[in-house]
Amino acid sequence: MRELLLTLVCYLVEQPDAVVVREEPAEGSIVFKIEVAPDDVGRVIGRQGRVIRALRAVMRAAAARAGQRIAVEIGQ
Amino acid sequence: MKGIEVRGRTADEAVAEGLVQLGLRAEQVDVAVLEPGHRGFLGLGGREAVVRLTPRLSAADLARRFLTEVVQAVGVDASVSVTEDQGNLTATLQGDDLGTLIGRQGHTLDALQYLLHVVISRHSGPRQVSLDIGGYRARREESIRRMARRACDEARRSGRSTALEPMSPSERRVVHLELQDQKDVQTESEGEEPYRRVVVKPTQPAPARPWQQGRGGAVRPRG
């Protein structure tokens, strides 16, 4: 799952080397925290949040397949 | 992708030589001039130019790579095919067990298509990108056409506006197109995304119904 998010985000940013995806267990779910270079934050969020919303949709589908609940956040 | 280094009397000559070696056109490579070179004087003291040519990934190749990696990471078994027509990309995933990637009402499919579109447009400039998974779009389009025709019949029969379920812009377009030749109804989109939906409106009152109102009976008042 983390692999998938990392793959997607790396395609979206200008500096893939700076991408970090942290996995934090929360109650009954897993929270994925994305960190990217400051210039790339907007690229991961997208206009009106469209990119991050699409990321979440894909991640949720993959998680459901694995019987998991997840959340995706952009962290600092 | 690895590039090649080429030498020549001038940078332009080196680039031309490199393109011949790679069998590519100028717009298919990125050029870095490592050493501009100069001619020297009377053939003395000149220095060769050195350039590096790196083949540019085509939009179709990038789409193929992106989708292959996504499919792998999700863990489904699917074959990826991408075709390019006048710069617009059509990508297709085929395989078993692709429901995960389609999602309810194609929600996941739409999200993936959007991400693919963003990745391709940032790399190769804006262009149309469409993605289908397991023939979903074709099936969905047929079922939308059916729903449109049913709503049209209903609007005609009842003389009232009839709404369809909320749909994405491209799906609503299918409804408008399906009913555009029906002279006695109009279609309009109403509401806000993501609940925007097409409403089919009759342009004429419902036909009088002799079996309900008696022969020659008055037309039922419309509410």
Side-chain angles (χ1 to χ4, degrees), chain B residues 164 175-177 179-180 185-189 198-201:
Chain B
L164 283 94
V175 177
H176 293 305
L177 288 176
L179 300 181
Q180 68 180 358
V185 297
Q186 282 180 347
T187 56
E188 258 171 55
S189 292
V198 180
V199 178
V200 184
K201 299 179 173 178

Side-chain angles (χ1 to χ4, degrees), chain A residues 4-66:
Chain A
L4 174 61
L5 187 55
L6 197 59
T7 302
L8 291 170
V9 174
C10 283
Y11 270 99
L12 292 165
V13 298
E14 296 269 297
Q15 300 176 52
D17 292 344
V19 176
V20 179
V21 174
R22 258 189 266 281
E23 200 172 331
E24 295 174 5
E27 284 173 60
S29 67
I30 305 169
V31 178
F32 291 97
K33 289 219 164 111
I34 307 169
E35 286 170 31
V36 298
D39 284 350
D40 280 330
V41 172
R43 294 193 175 89
V44 177
I45 296 174
R47 217 173 299 153
Q48 294 174 358
R50 279 190 76 184
V51 172
I52 185 71
R53 217 173 322 138
L55 280 175
R56 284 182 176 131
V58 174
M59 287 299 290
R60 234 179 282 124
R65 180 185 167 81

Side-chain angles (χ1 to χ4, degrees), chain B residues 58-61 64 82-90 127:
Chain B
S58 76
D61 285 338
R64 236 169 258 132
V82 179
T83 57
E84 186 169 359
D85 180 32
Q86 296 176 343
N88 298 327
L89 296 186
T90 307
R127 57 186 68 213

